[in-house]
Amino acid sequence: MTATAEADLHDRLMALAERQIAVGEVRGVAAADPVNLPMIRHWAAAMGDANPVYTDAEAAAGSAHGEIVAPPAMIQVWTMPGVDRDGRQATTPVDDVLRALDGSGYTGVVATNCEQTYHRYLRLGERPVPATRFAGLSGPKRTALGEGYFVTWNITWYSQDEPVADMLFRVLKFRPRERKTKPEAREPYPLKPAINKDTAFFWEGVGRGELRIQRCADCGELRHPPGPVCPSCRSVERTHVVASGVGEVYSYVVHHNPPVPGRSTPFVVAVVELPEGVRIVGNVVDCPPEEVGIGMQVRVTYRQMDDELILPMWVPQES
């Protein structure tokens, strides 16, 4: 595309963004189901959240809430559309902008920011309603993934016109880079993990073929993902152990869309429960997605993604 055409495209995208900002807040449809205990129980089990005020009526009655309440972090769960979108999903001011970017070649997408603010707990029986407000478009920006635009919007959830939660959400819509065809050069894997002083030991272990788990040097509790402070005793002293490298699929999703740079879809992302007592997220490979299931026994393997990055993945134990 010529520089003149690029400039014209940019002007059209920014003009569209200004129009969508002017639309203001657009209410969506109420949650398909009211806030309910079975969904809370499933979510809490999947997330490992054992707070009794979410599932135990007796404990909740003795708390400051006086009744069972929903975990605030579930706010998106209540109004997120299903796989078939079931005809209930209302249009938002964001839709036209995303479609325009797709049509202009910015077909890649990666979430960059998600900031939630909770005003109060939802109670059983409430049916929150999302309202979306387009906040802005910035770009084009050159990134490691490719040139793209950052798209930002806000969602407020209401119950009986009372705001209960807000979310700022931002994605990068980018033009995927053209694949290089030189067979002798391994293309850099675009989705690099963040490595810092808390996680460096883990990635050093991966490079040596070890699955390392952080351990509190004071109380001995194992934890994953790694962090700076022990959640049990608040100690900042830490060491690690080497896991056996086997586990069981605790939950999983099959990713079909959107496209992910460096990966072919569909692929499986699983939460694997280790016998050491922690859970770790990773891809299940060397197995058709339809054969993956909860309870599947898996073992760790290590895959070279580019000249520098090795990722731990999981394969069926019998393979």
Side-chain angles (χ1 to χ4, degrees), residues 120-176:
R120 71 163 175 83
Y121 290 86
L122 282 171
R123 297 179 290 272
L124 298 182
E126 292 189 275
R127 294 181 66 180
V129 177
T132 304
R133 191 169 62 258
F134 183 73
L137 180 71
S138 63
K141 307 284 187 180
R142 294 190 180 276
T143 75
L145 296 174
E147 182 181 274
Y149 285 81
F150 287 94
V151 188
T152 306
W153 64 92
N154 300 98
I155 300 177
T156 299
W157 283 269
Y158 293 91
S159 179
Q160 299 295 326
D161 292 326
E162 176 190 4
V164 294
D166 296 300
M167 180 176 72
L168 177 147
F169 200 75
R170 180 176 295 123
V171 300
L172 170 66
K173 290 285 290 177
F174 61 94
R175 284 176 175 160

Side-chain angles (χ1 to χ4, degrees), residues 24-29 72 74-81 85 89-95 98 113-119 128-136 151-158 162-171:
E25 187 176 81
V26 175
R27 291 281 183 111
V29 296
M74 280 189 75
I75 188 64
Q76 279 184 284
V77 172
W78 307 112
T79 57
M80 189 171 289
R85 302 185 76 85
Q89 184 72 2
T91 58
T92 75
V94 184
D95 298 339
L98 297 180
N113 298 76
C114 180
E115 303 170 14
Q116 294 187 343
T117 302
Y118 311 117
H119 304 301
V129 177
T132 304
R133 191 169 62 258
F134 183 73
V151 188
T152 306
W153 64 92
N154 300 98
I155 300 177
T156 299
W157 283 269
Y158 293 91
E162 176 190 4
V164 294
D166 296 300
M167 180 176 72
L168 177 147
F169 200 75
R170 180 176 295 123
V171 300

Side-chain angles (χ1 to χ4, degrees), residues 212-280:
R212 296 178 176 180
I213 305 173
Q214 193 173 65
R215 182 173 71 87
C216 176
D218 286 329
C219 74
E221 178 167 312
L222 300 179
R223 62 183 186 264
H224 190 86
V229 178
C230 175
S232 292
C233 71
R234 313 307 294 173
S235 171
V236 296
E237 302 299 322
R238 57 261 176 105
T239 180
H240 70 267
V241 299
V242 178
S244 62
V246 298
E248 178 180 290
V249 173
Y250 181 81
S251 66
Y252 71 98
V253 296
V254 180
H255 184 96
H256 293 272
N257 280 297
V260 176
R263 300 301 306 273
S264 297
T265 57
F267 59 86
V268 175
V269 182
V271 176
V272 176
E273 189 164 55
L274 308 185
E276 289 79 9
V278 300
R279 297 170 186 159
I280 185 170

